[in-house]
Amino acid sequence: MIGFRFGIHYGDFWGHRGFTHSLTFAALLAGVVVGIWFRDSPAIRPAVMFLFMFLATVSHSVLDAMTDGGLGVAFFSPFDNSRYFLPWRPI
């Protein structure tokens, strides 16, 4: 919603449910978080934390795809900017 103040429209690449809701972004975010905070952690293996962070980020996108509002979620951005909903939309 902050993007609207900067002239970013809902359906744009950086718009709501765009690139920041993609699988690519989830992997990048998980990699950055693990690289900064968990790379030297003796208690938690980085690969396990990467998977946890990736799934946590993707779950937000999946939940957004279960709604019936907006234009859908760009799961495959930046490779395909088409937006998708899940067939079951209880939210």
Coordinates of all heavy atoms in Angstrom, one line a residue:
M1 N 0.8 -1.2 0.0 CA 0.0 0.0 0.0 C 0.9 1.3 0.0 O 0.4 2.3 -0.5 CB -0.9 0.0 1.2 CG -1.8 -1.3 1.3 SD -2.4 -1.9 -0.2 CE -3.9 -1.0 -0.4
I2 N 2.0 1.2 0.5 CA 3.0 2.3 0.5 C 3.4 2.7 -0.9 O 3.6 3.8 -1.2 CB 4.2 2.0 1.4 CG1 3.8 1.8 2.8 CG2 5.3 3.1 1.2 CD1 4.9 1.3 3.7
G3 N 3.4 1.6 -1.7 CA 3.8 1.9 -3.1 C 2.9 2.8 -3.9 O 3.4 3.5 -4.8
F4 N 1.6 2.8 -3.5 CA 0.7 3.8 -4.2 C 1.2 5.2 -4.1 O 1.0 6.0 -5.0 CB -0.7 3.6 -3.6 CG -1.4 2.3 -3.9 CD1 -2.2 1.8 -3.0 CD2 -1.1 1.7 -5.1 CE1 -2.8 0.5 -3.2 CE2 -1.8 0.4 -5.4 CZ -2.6 -0.1 -4.4
R5 N 1.8 5.6 -3.0 CA 2.3 6.9 -2.8 C 3.5 7.2 -3.7 O 3.8 8.4 -3.9 CB 2.7 7.2 -1.3 CG 1.5 7.1 -0.4 CD 1.8 7.8 0.9 NE 0.7 7.8 1.8 CZ -0.2 8.8 1.9 NH1 -0.1 9.8 1.2 NH2 -1.2 8.6 2.8
F6 N 4.1 6.2 -4.2 CA 5.3 6.4 -5.0 C 4.9 6.1 -6.5 O 5.8 6.0 -7.4 CB 6.4 5.4 -4.6 CG 7.0 5.8 -3.3 CD1 6.7 5.0 -2.2 CD2 7.8 6.9 -3.1 CE1 7.2 5.3 -0.9 CE2 8.4 7.2 -1.9 CZ 8.0 6.4 -0.8
G7 N 3.6 6.0 -6.8 CA 3.2 5.8 -8.2 C 3.2 4.4 -8.7 O 3.2 4.2 -9.9
I8 N 3.4 3.5 -7.8 CA 3.4 2.0 -8.2 C 2.0 1.5 -8.2 O 1.3 1.6 -7.1 CB 4.3 1.2 -7.2 CG1 5.7 1.7 -7.3 CG2 4.2 -0.3 -7.6 CD1 6.6 1.1 -6.2
H9 N 1.5 1.1 -9.3 CA 0.1 0.6 -9.4 C 0.0 -0.8 -8.9 O 1.0 -1.6 -8.9 CB -0.4 0.7 -10.8 CG -0.4 2.1 -11.3 ND1 0.6 2.6 -12.1 CD2 -1.2 3.1 -11.1 CE1 0.3 3.9 -12.4 NE2 -0.8 4.2 -11.8
Y10 N -1.2 -1.2 -8.6 CA -1.5 -2.6 -8.0 C -0.9 -3.7 -8.9 O -0.3 -4.6 -8.4 CB -3.0 -2.7 -7.8 CG -3.3 -4.0 -7.0 CD1 -3.5 -3.9 -5.6 CD2 -3.5 -5.2 -7.6 CE1 -3.8 -5.0 -4.9 CE2 -3.8 -6.3 -6.9 CZ -4.0 -6.2 -5.5 OH -4.3 -7.3 -4.8
G11 N -1.1 -3.6 -10.2 CA -0.8 -4.7 -11.1 C 0.7 -4.6 -11.6 O 1.1 -5.4 -12.4
D12 N 1.5 -3.6 -11.2 CA 2.9 -3.5 -11.6 C 3.7 -4.6 -11.0 O 3.3 -5.3 -10.0 CB 3.4 -2.1 -11.2 CG 2.8 -1.0 -11.9 OD1 2.1 -1.2 -12.9 OD2 3.0 0.2 -11.5
F13 N 4.9 -4.7 -11.5 CA 5.9 -5.7 -11.1 C 6.1 -5.6 -9.6 O 6.1 -6.5 -8.8 CB 7.2 -5.5 -11.8 CG 8.3 -6.4 -11.3 CD1 8.4 -7.7 -11.8 CD2 9.3 -5.9 -10.5 CE1 9.4 -8.5 -11.4 CE2 10.3 -6.7 -10.1 CZ 10.4 -8.0 -10.5
W14 N 6.3 -4.3 -9.1 CA 6.5 -4.1 -7.6 C 5.2 -3.9 -6.9 O 5.2 -3.6 -5.7 CB 7.4 -2.9 -7.4 CG 8.8 -3.2 -7.8 CD1 9.5 -2.7 -8.9 CD2 9.8 -4.0 -7.2 NE1 10.8 -3.2 -9.0 CE2 11.0 -4.0 -7.9 CE3 9.7 -4.9 -6.0 CZ2 12.1 -4.8 -7.5 CZ3 10.8 -5.6 -5.7 CH2 12.0 -5.5 -6.4
G15 N 4.1 -3.9 -7.6 CA 2.8 -3.7 -6.9 C 2.4 -4.8 -6.0 O 3.1 -5.8 -5.8
H16 N 1.3 -4.6 -5.3 CA 0.9 -5.6 -4.2 C 0.7 -7.0 -4.9 O 0.0 -7.1 -5.9 CB -0.4 -5.1 -3.6 CG -0.7 -6.0 -2.4 ND1 0.1 -6.1 -1.3 CD2 -1.8 -6.7 -2.1 CE1 -0.5 -6.9 -0.4 NE2 -1.6 -7.3 -0.9
R17 N 1.2 -8.0 -4.2 CA 1.1 -9.4 -4.7 C 1.9 -9.6 -5.9 O 1.6 -10.6 -6.7 CB -0.3 -9.8 -4.8 CG -1.1 -9.8 -3.5 CD -2.5 -10.4 -3.7 NE -3.2 -10.3 -2.4 CZ -4.5 -10.5 -2.3 NH1 -5.2 -10.7 -3.4 NH2 -5.1 -10.5 -1.2
G18 N 2.8 -8.7 -6.2 CA 3.7 -8.9 -7.4 C 5.0 -9.7 -7.0 O 4.9 -10.7 -6.4
F19 N 6.1 -9.1 -7.4 CA 7.4 -9.8 -7.2 C 7.6 -10.2 -5.7 O 8.1 -11.3 -5.4 CB 8.5 -8.9 -7.7 CG 9.9 -9.6 -7.4 CD1 10.3 -10.7 -8.1 CD2 10.8 -9.0 -6.5 CE1 11.5 -11.3 -7.9 CE2 12.0 -9.6 -6.3 CZ 12.4 -10.7 -6.9
T20 N 7.2 -9.4 -4.8 CA 7.4 -9.7 -3.4 C 6.6 -10.9 -2.9 O 6.8 -11.3 -1.7 CB 7.2 -8.5 -2.5 OG1 5.8 -8.1 -2.7 CG2 8.1 -7.3 -2.8
H21 N 5.7 -11.4 -3.7 CA 5.0 -12.6 -3.3 C 5.4 -13.8 -4.2 O 4.7 -14.8 -4.2 CB 3.5 -12.3 -3.5 CG 2.9 -11.5 -2.4 ND1 3.3 -10.2 -2.1 CD2 1.9 -11.7 -1.6 CE1 2.6 -9.7 -1.2 NE2 1.7 -10.6 -0.8
S22 N 6.5 -13.7 -4.9 CA 6.9 -14.8 -5.8 C 7.8 -15.8 -5.1 O 8.3 -15.5 -4.0 CB 7.7 -14.2 -7.0 OG 8.9 -13.7 -6.6
L23 N 7.9 -16.9 -5.7 CA 8.8 -18.0 -5.2 C 10.3 -17.5 -5.2 O 11.1 -17.8 -4.3 CB 8.7 -19.3 -6.0 CG 7.3 -19.9 -6.0 CD1 7.2 -21.0 -7.0 CD2 6.9 -20.3 -4.6
T24 N 10.6 -16.8 -6.2 CA 12.0 -16.2 -6.3 C 12.3 -15.3 -5.2 O 13.4 -15.4 -4.5 CB 12.2 -15.5 -7.7 OG1 11.9 -16.4 -8.7 CG2 13.6 -14.9 -7.8
F25 N 11.4 -14.4 -4.9 CA 11.6 -13.5 -3.7 C 11.7 -14.2 -2.4 O 12.5 -13.9 -1.6 CB 10.4 -12.5 -3.7 CG 10.6 -11.5 -2.6 CD1 11.4 -10.4 -2.7 CD2 9.9 -11.6 -1.3 CE1 11.6 -9.4 -1.7 CE2 10.1 -10.7 -0.3 CZ 10.9 -9.6 -0.5
A26 N 10.9 -15.3 -2.3 CA 10.9 -16.1 -1.0 C 12.3 -16.7 -0.8 O 12.8 -16.7 0.3 CB 9.8 -17.1 -1.0
A27 N 12.8 -17.2 -1.9 CA 14.2 -17.8 -1.9 C 15.2 -16.8 -1.6 O 16.1 -17.0 -0.8 CB 14.5 -18.6 -3.2
L28 N 15.1 -15.6 -2.2 CA 16.1 -14.6 -1.9 C 16.0 -14.1 -0.5 O 17.1 -13.9 0.2 CB 15.9 -13.4 -2.9 CG 16.2 -13.6 -4.4 CD1 15.7 -12.5 -5.2 CD2 17.7 -13.9 -4.6
L29 N 14.8 -13.9 0.0 CA 14.7 -13.4 1.4 C 15.2 -14.4 2.4 O 15.9 -14.1 3.3 CB 13.2 -13.1 1.6 CG 12.9 -12.6 3.0 CD1 13.6 -11.2 3.3 CD2 11.4 -12.5 3.2
A30 N 14.9 -15.7 2.1 CA 15.3 -16.8 3.0 C 16.9 -16.8 3.0 O 17.5 -17.0 4.1 CB 14.7 -18.1 2.6
G31 N 17.5 -16.7 1.8 CA 18.9 -16.7 1.7 C 19.6 -15.6 2.5 O 20.6 -15.7 3.2
V32 N 19.0 -14.4 2.4 CA 19.5 -13.2 3.0 C 19.4 -13.4 4.6 O 20.4 -13.1 5.3 CB 18.8 -11.9 2.6 CG1 19.2 -10.7 3.5 CG2 19.2 -11.6 1.1
V33 N 18.3 -13.8 5.0 CA 18.1 -14.0 6.5 C 19.0 -15.0 7.0 O 19.7 -14.8 8.1 CB 16.6 -14.4 6.8 CG1 16.4 -14.8 8.2 CG2 15.7 -13.2 6.5
V34 N 19.1 -16.1 6.4 CA 20.1 -17.2 6.8 C 21.5 -16.7 6.7 O 22.3 -16.9 7.7 CB 19.9 -18.5 6.0 CG1 21.0 -19.5 6.3 CG2 18.5 -19.1 6.3
G35 N 21.9 -16.0 5.7 CA 23.2 -15.5 5.5 C 23.6 -14.5 6.5 O 24.8 -14.4 6.9
I36 N 22.7 -13.7 7.0 CA 23.0 -12.7 8.0 C 22.9 -13.2 9.4 O 23.8 -13.0 10.2 CB 22.1 -11.4 7.8 CG1 22.4 -10.7 6.5 CG2 22.2 -10.5 9.0 CD1 21.4 -9.6 6.1
W37 N 21.9 -13.9 9.7 CA 21.6 -14.2 11.2 C 21.9 -15.7 11.5 O 22.1 -16.0 12.7 CB 20.2 -13.9 11.5 CG 20.0 -12.5 11.7 CD1 20.4 -11.7 12.7 CD2 19.2 -11.6 10.8 NE1 20.0 -10.4 12.5 CE2 19.3 -10.3 11.4 CE3 18.5 -11.8 9.7 CZ2 18.6 -9.2 10.8 CZ3 17.9 -10.8 9.1 CH2 17.9 -9.5 9.6
F38 N 21.9 -16.6 10.6 CA 22.1 -18.0 11.0 C 23.2 -18.8 10.4 O 23.3 -20.0 10.5 CB 20.7 -18.8 10.7 CG 19.6 -18.2 11.4 CD1 18.7 -17.4 10.8 CD2 19.4 -18.7 12.7 CE1 17.6 -16.9 11.5 CE2 18.3 -18.2 13.4 CZ 17.4 -17.3 12.9
R39 N 24.1 -18.1 9.7 CA 25.2 -18.8 9.0 C 26.2 -19.5 9.9 O 26.7 -20.5 9.6 CB 25.9 -17.9 8.0 CG 26.7 -16.8 8.7 CD 27.5 -16.0 7.7 NE 28.2 -15.0 8.4 CZ 28.0 -13.7 8.1 NH1 27.2 -13.3 7.2 NH2 28.6 -12.8 8.8
D40 N 26.4 -18.9 11.1 CA 27.4 -19.5 12.0 C 26.7 -20.1 13.3 O 27.3 -20.3 14.3 CB 28.3 -18.4 12.5 CG 29.2 -17.8 11.3 OD1 29.5 -18.6 10.4 OD2 29.5 -16.7 11.4
S41 N 25.4 -20.3 13.2 CA 24.7 -20.8 14.3 C 25.0 -22.3 14.6 O 24.7 -23.1 13.7 CB 23.2 -20.7 14.1 OG 22.5 -21.2 15.2
P42 N 25.5 -22.6 15.7 CA 25.8 -24.0 16.0 C 24.6 -24.9 16.3 O 24.5 -26.1 16.1 CB 26.7 -24.0 17.2 CG 26.4 -22.7 17.9 CD 25.9 -21.8 16.8
A43 N 23.5 -24.2 16.8 CA 22.3 -24.9 17.2 C 21.4 -25.2 16.0 O 20.6 -26.2 16.0 CB 21.5 -24.1 18.2
I44 N 21.4 -24.4 15.0 CA 20.5 -24.5 13.8 C 21.2 -24.6 12.5 O 22.0 -23.8 12.2 CB 19.5 -23.3 13.8 CG1 18.7 -23.2 15.0 CG2 18.6 -23.5 12.6 CD1 17.9 -21.9 15.1
R45 N 21.0 -25.7 11.8 CA 21.7 -25.8 10.5 C 21.1 -24.8 9.5 O 19.9 -24.6 9.4 CB 21.5 -27.2 10.0 CG 22.2 -28.3 10.8 CD 22.3 -29.6 10.2 NE 21.3 -30.0 9.2 CZ 20.5 -31.0 9.4 NH1 20.6 -31.8 10.4 NH2 19.6 -31.3 8.5
P46 N 22.0 -24.1 8.8 CA 21.5 -23.1 7.8 C 20.5 -23.7 6.8 O 19.5 -23.0 6.5 CB 22.8 -22.6 7.1 CG 23.8 -22.9 8.1 CD 23.4 -24.2 8.8
A47 N 20.6 -24.9 6.3 CA 19.7 -25.4 5.3 C 18.3 -25.6 5.9 O 17.3 -25.3 5.3 CB 20.2 -26.8 4.8
V48 N 18.2 -26.0 7.2 CA 16.9 -26.2 7.8 C 16.3 -24.8 8.0 O 15.1 -24.6 7.8 CB 17.1 -26.9 9.2 CG1 15.8 -26.9 10.0 CG2 17.6 -28.3 9.0
M49 N 17.0 -23.8 8.4 CA 16.5 -22.5 8.6 C 16.1 -21.9 7.3 O 15.1 -21.2 7.2 CB 17.5 -21.6 9.3 CG 16.9 -20.2 9.7 SD 15.3 -20.2 10.5 CE 15.7 -20.9 12.1
F50 N 16.9 -22.1 6.2 CA 16.5 -21.6 4.9 C 15.1 -22.2 4.5 O 14.2 -21.5 4.1 CB 17.5 -22.0 3.9 CG 17.2 -21.6 2.5 CD1 17.4 -20.4 2.0 CD2 16.5 -22.5 1.6 CE1 17.1 -20.0 0.7 CE2 16.1 -22.2 0.4 CZ 16.4 -20.9 -0.1
L51 N 15.0 -23.5 4.7 CA 13.7 -24.1 4.3 C 12.5 -23.5 5.1 O 11.5 -23.3 4.6 CB 13.8 -25.6 4.5 CG 12.5 -26.4 4.1 CD1 12.2 -26.3 2.7 CD2 12.7 -27.9 4.5
F52 N 12.8 -23.4 6.4 CA 11.7 -22.8 7.3 C 11.3 -21.4 6.8 O 10.2 -21.0 6.7 CB 12.2 -22.8 8.7 CG 11.3 -22.1 9.7 CD1 10.2 -22.8 10.2 CD2 11.5 -20.8 10.1 CE1 9.3 -22.2 11.0 CE2 10.6 -20.1 10.9 CZ 9.5 -20.8 11.4
M53 N 12.3 -20.5 6.6 CA 12.1 -19.2 6.2 C 11.4 -19.1 4.8 O 10.5 -18.3 4.5 CB 13.4 -18.3 6.1 CG 14.0 -18.1 7.5 SD 12.9 -17.2 8.7 CE 12.6 -15.7 7.8
F54 N 11.8 -20.0 3.9 CA 11.2 -20.1 2.6 C 9.8 -20.4 2.7 O 8.9 -19.8 2.1 CB 12.0 -21.1 1.7 CG 11.4 -21.3 0.3 CD1 11.6 -20.3 -0.7 CD2 10.6 -22.4 0.1 CE1 11.0 -20.5 -1.9 CE2 10.1 -22.6 -1.2 CZ 10.2 -21.6 -2.2
L55 N 9.5 -21.5 3.4 CA 8.1 -21.9 3.6 C 7.2 -20.9 4.3 O 6.0 -20.7 3.9 CB 8.0 -23.3 4.3 CG 8.6 -24.5 3.5 CD1 8.6 -25.7 4.4 CD2 7.9 -24.7 2.2
A56 N 7.8 -20.2 5.3 CA 7.0 -19.2 5.9 C 6.7 -18.0 5.0 O 5.5 -17.5 5.0 CB 7.8 -18.6 7.1
T57 N 7.6 -17.7 4.1 CA 7.3 -16.6 3.2 C 6.4 -17.0 2.1 O 5.4 -16.3 1.8 CB 8.7 -16.1 2.6 OG1 9.6 -15.7 3.6 CG2 8.5 -14.9 1.6
V58 N 6.5 -18.2 1.6 CA 5.6 -18.7 0.6 C 4.2 -18.9 1.1 O 3.2 -18.7 0.4 CB 6.2 -20.0 0.0 CG1 5.1 -20.7 -0.9 CG2 7.4 -19.7 -0.9
S59 N 4.1 -19.2 2.4 CA 2.7 -19.5 3.0 C 1.9 -18.2 2.9 O 0.7 -18.2 2.7 CB 2.8 -19.9 4.4 OG 3.3 -18.9 5.3
H60 N 2.5 -17.0 3.0 CA 1.8 -15.7 2.9 C 1.3 -15.6 1.5 O 0.1 -15.2 1.3 CB 2.8 -14.6 3.2 CG 2.2 -13.2 3.0 ND1 1.4 -12.6 4.0 CD2 2.1 -12.4 1.9 CE1 1.0 -11.5 3.5 NE2 1.4 -11.3 2.3
S61 N 2.1 -16.0 0.5 CA 1.6 -15.9 -0.9 C 0.5 -16.8 -1.2 O -0.5 -16.5 -1.9 CB 2.8 -16.2 -1.9 OG 3.8 -15.3 -1.6
V62 N 0.6 -18.1 -0.7 CA -0.5 -19.1 -0.8 C -1.8 -18.6 -0.2 O -2.8 -18.7 -0.8 CB 0.0 -20.4 -0.3 CG1 -1.2 -21.4 -0.3 CG2 1.1 -21.0 -1.1
L63 N -1.7 -18.0 1.0 CA -2.9 -17.5 1.7 C -3.5 -16.4 0.9 O -4.7 -16.3 0.8 CB -2.6 -17.1 3.1 CG -2.3 -18.2 4.1 CD1 -1.8 -17.7 5.4 CD2 -3.5 -19.1 4.3
D64 N -2.7 -15.5 0.3 CA -3.2 -14.4 -0.5 C -3.9 -15.0 -1.8 O -4.9 -14.4 -2.2 CB -2.1 -13.5 -0.9 CG -1.8 -12.4 0.1 OD1 -2.6 -12.3 1.0 OD2 -0.9 -11.6 -0.1
A65 N -3.4 -16.1 -2.3 CA -4.0 -16.7 -3.5 C -5.3 -17.4 -3.1 O -6.1 -17.8 -4.0 CB -3.0 -17.7 -4.1
M66 N -5.6 -17.5 -1.9 CA -6.9 -18.1 -1.4 C -8.0 -17.1 -1.2 O -9.1 -17.4 -0.7 CB -6.7 -19.0 -0.2 CG -5.9 -20.2 -0.3 SD -5.9 -21.1 1.2 CE -4.9 -22.4 0.8
T67 N -7.7 -15.9 -1.6 CA -8.7 -14.8 -1.4 C -9.4 -14.6 -2.8 O -8.9 -15.1 -3.8 CB -8.1 -13.5 -1.0 OG1 -7.3 -13.0 -2.0 CG2 -7.3 -13.7 0.3
D68 N -10.5 -13.9 -2.8 CA -11.1 -13.6 -4.0 C -11.0 -12.1 -4.4 O -11.7 -11.6 -5.2 CB -12.6 -14.0 -4.0 CG -13.4 -13.3 -2.9 OD1 -12.8 -12.5 -2.2 OD2 -14.6 -13.6 -2.8
G69 N -10.1 -11.4 -3.8 CA -9.9 -10.0 -4.1 C -8.6 -9.7 -4.8 O -7.7 -10.5 -4.8
G70 N -8.6 -8.6 -5.5 CA -7.3 -8.2 -6.1 C -7.1 -8.9 -7.5 O -8.1 -9.4 -8.1
L71 N -5.9 -8.9 -7.9 CA -5.6 -9.4 -9.2 C -4.9 -10.8 -9.2 O -4.6 -11.3 -10.2 CB -4.6 -8.4 -10.0 CG -5.1 -7.0 -10.2 CD1 -4.1 -6.2 -10.8 CD2 -6.4 -7.0 -11.1
G72 N -4.7 -11.3 -8.0 CA -4.0 -12.6 -7.9 C -2.6 -12.4 -7.5 O -2.1 -11.3 -7.2
V73 N -1.8 -13.5 -7.4 CA -0.5 -13.5 -6.9 C 0.5 -13.9 -8.1 O 0.2 -14.9 -8.8 CB -0.3 -14.5 -5.8 CG1 1.1 -14.6 -5.3 CG2 -1.3 -14.2 -4.6
A74 N 1.6 -13.2 -8.2 CA 2.6 -13.4 -9.3 C 3.6 -14.4 -8.7 O 4.7 -14.1 -8.4 CB 3.2 -12.1 -9.7
F75 N 3.2 -15.7 -8.6 CA 4.0 -16.7 -8.0 C 5.4 -16.9 -8.8 O 6.4 -17.2 -8.2 CB 3.3 -18.1 -8.0 CG 2.3 -18.3 -7.0 CD1 1.0 -18.4 -7.3 CD2 2.6 -18.3 -5.6 CE1 0.0 -18.6 -6.3 CE2 1.7 -18.5 -4.7 CZ 0.4 -18.6 -5.0
F76 N 5.3 -16.7 -10.1 CA 6.5 -17.0 -10.9 C 7.3 -15.8 -11.4 O 8.1 -15.9 -12.3 CB 6.1 -17.9 -12.1 CG 5.4 -19.1 -11.6 CD1 4.0 -19.3 -11.9 CD2 6.0 -20.1 -10.9 CE1 3.3 -20.4 -11.4 CE2 5.3 -21.3 -10.5 CZ 4.0 -21.4 -10.7
S77 N 7.0 -14.7 -10.8 CA 7.7 -13.4 -11.2 C 9.2 -13.6 -10.7 O 9.4 -14.2 -9.7 CB 7.1 -12.3 -10.4 OG 7.7 -11.1 -10.7
P78 N 10.1 -13.1 -11.4 CA 10.1 -12.3 -12.6 C 10.1 -13.0 -13.9 O 10.2 -12.3 -15.0 CB 11.5 -11.5 -12.4 CG 12.4 -12.5 -11.8 CD 11.5 -13.3 -10.9
F79 N 9.9 -14.3 -13.9 CA 10.0 -15.0 -15.2 C 8.6 -15.0 -15.9 O 8.6 -15.1 -17.1 CB 10.4 -16.5 -14.9 CG 11.7 -16.6 -14.1 CD1 11.6 -16.9 -12.8 CD2 12.9 -16.3 -14.7 CE1 12.8 -17.0 -12.0 CE2 14.0 -16.3 -14.0 CZ 14.0 -16.6 -12.6
D80 N 7.6 -14.9 -15.1 CA 6.2 -14.9 -15.7 C 5.4 -14.0 -14.7 O 5.2 -14.3 -13.5 CB 5.6 -16.2 -15.8 CG 4.1 -16.2 -16.2 OD1 3.7 -15.2 -16.8 OD2 3.4 -17.2 -16.0
N81 N 5.0 -12.8 -15.2 CA 4.3 -11.9 -14.3 C 2.8 -12.1 -14.3 O 2.0 -11.3 -13.8 CB 4.6 -10.4 -14.7 CG 6.0 -10.1 -14.3 OD1 6.5 -10.5 -13.2 ND2 6.7 -9.4 -15.1
S82 N 2.3 -13.2 -14.8 CA 0.9 -13.6 -14.7 C 0.5 -13.7 -13.2 O 1.3 -14.2 -12.4 CB 0.6 -14.8 -15.5 OG 0.9 -14.7 -16.8
R83 N -0.7 -13.4 -12.9 CA -1.2 -13.5 -11.5 C -2.2 -14.7 -11.4 O -3.0 -14.9 -12.3 CB -1.7 -12.2 -11.1 CG -0.6 -11.2 -11.1 CD -1.0 -9.9 -10.4 NE 0.1 -9.0 -10.4 CZ 0.3 -8.2 -9.4 NH1 -0.4 -8.3 -8.3 NH2 1.3 -7.4 -9.4
Y84 N -2.1 -15.4 -10.3 CA -2.9 -16.6 -10.1 C -3.7 -16.5 -8.8 O -3.2 -16.0 -7.8 CB -2.0 -17.8 -10.1 CG -1.2 -18.0 -11.4 CD1 0.1 -17.4 -11.5 CD2 -1.7 -18.6 -12.5 CE1 0.8 -17.6 -12.7 CE2 -1.0 -18.8 -13.7 CZ 0.3 -18.3 -13.7 OH 1.0 -18.4 -14.9
F85 N -4.8 -17.2 -8.8 CA -5.6 -17.5 -7.6 C -5.6 -19.0 -7.5 O -5.5 -19.7 -8.5 CB -7.0 -17.0 -7.7 CG -7.2 -15.6 -7.5 CD1 -7.5 -14.7 -8.6 CD2 -7.0 -15.0 -6.3 CE1 -7.7 -13.4 -8.4 CE2 -7.2 -13.6 -6.1 CZ -7.5 -12.8 -7.2
L86 N -5.8 -19.5 -6.3 CA -6.0 -21.0 -6.2 C -7.5 -21.3 -6.5 O -8.3 -20.4 -6.3 CB -5.6 -21.4 -4.8 CG -4.1 -21.3 -4.4 CD1 -3.8 -21.7 -3.0 CD2 -3.3 -22.1 -5.4
P87 N -7.8 -22.5 -6.9 CA -9.2 -22.8 -7.2 C -10.1 -22.8 -6.0 O -11.2 -22.5 -6.1 CB -9.1 -24.2 -7.8 CG -7.7 -24.7 -7.6 CD -6.9 -23.6 -7.2
W88 N -9.5 -23.0 -4.8 CA -10.3 -23.0 -3.6 C -10.0 -21.7 -2.8 O -8.8 -21.4 -2.5 CB -9.9 -24.2 -2.7 CG -10.7 -24.3 -1.5 CD1 -12.1 -24.5 -1.4 CD2 -10.2 -24.4 -0.1 NE1 -12.4 -24.6 -0.1 CE2 -11.3 -24.6 0.7 CE3 -8.9 -24.3 0.4 CZ2 -11.2 -24.6 2.1 CZ3 -8.8 -24.4 1.8 CH2 -9.9 -24.6 2.6
R89 N -11.0 -20.8 -2.7 CA -10.7 -19.5 -2.1 C -11.7 -19.2 -0.9 O -12.6 -18.4 -1.0 CB -10.9 -18.4 -3.2 CG -9.9 -18.5 -4.3 CD -10.1 -17.4 -5.2 NE -10.3 -18.0 -6.6 CZ -10.7 -17.4 -7.6 NH1 -11.0 -16.1 -7.5 NH2 -10.8 -18.0 -8.8
P90 N -11.4 -19.8 0.2 CA -12.2 -19.6 1.4 C -12.0 -18.3 2.1 O -12.8 -18.0 3.0 CB -11.9 -20.8 2.3 CG -10.4 -21.0 2.0 CD -10.3 -20.7 0.5
I91 N -11.0 -17.5 1.8 CA -10.6 -16.4 2.6 C -11.2 -15.1 2.0 O -11.1 -14.9 0.8 CB -9.1 -16.2 2.8 CG1 -8.5 -17.4 3.5 CG2 -8.8 -14.9 3.5 CD1 -7.0 -17.4 3.5

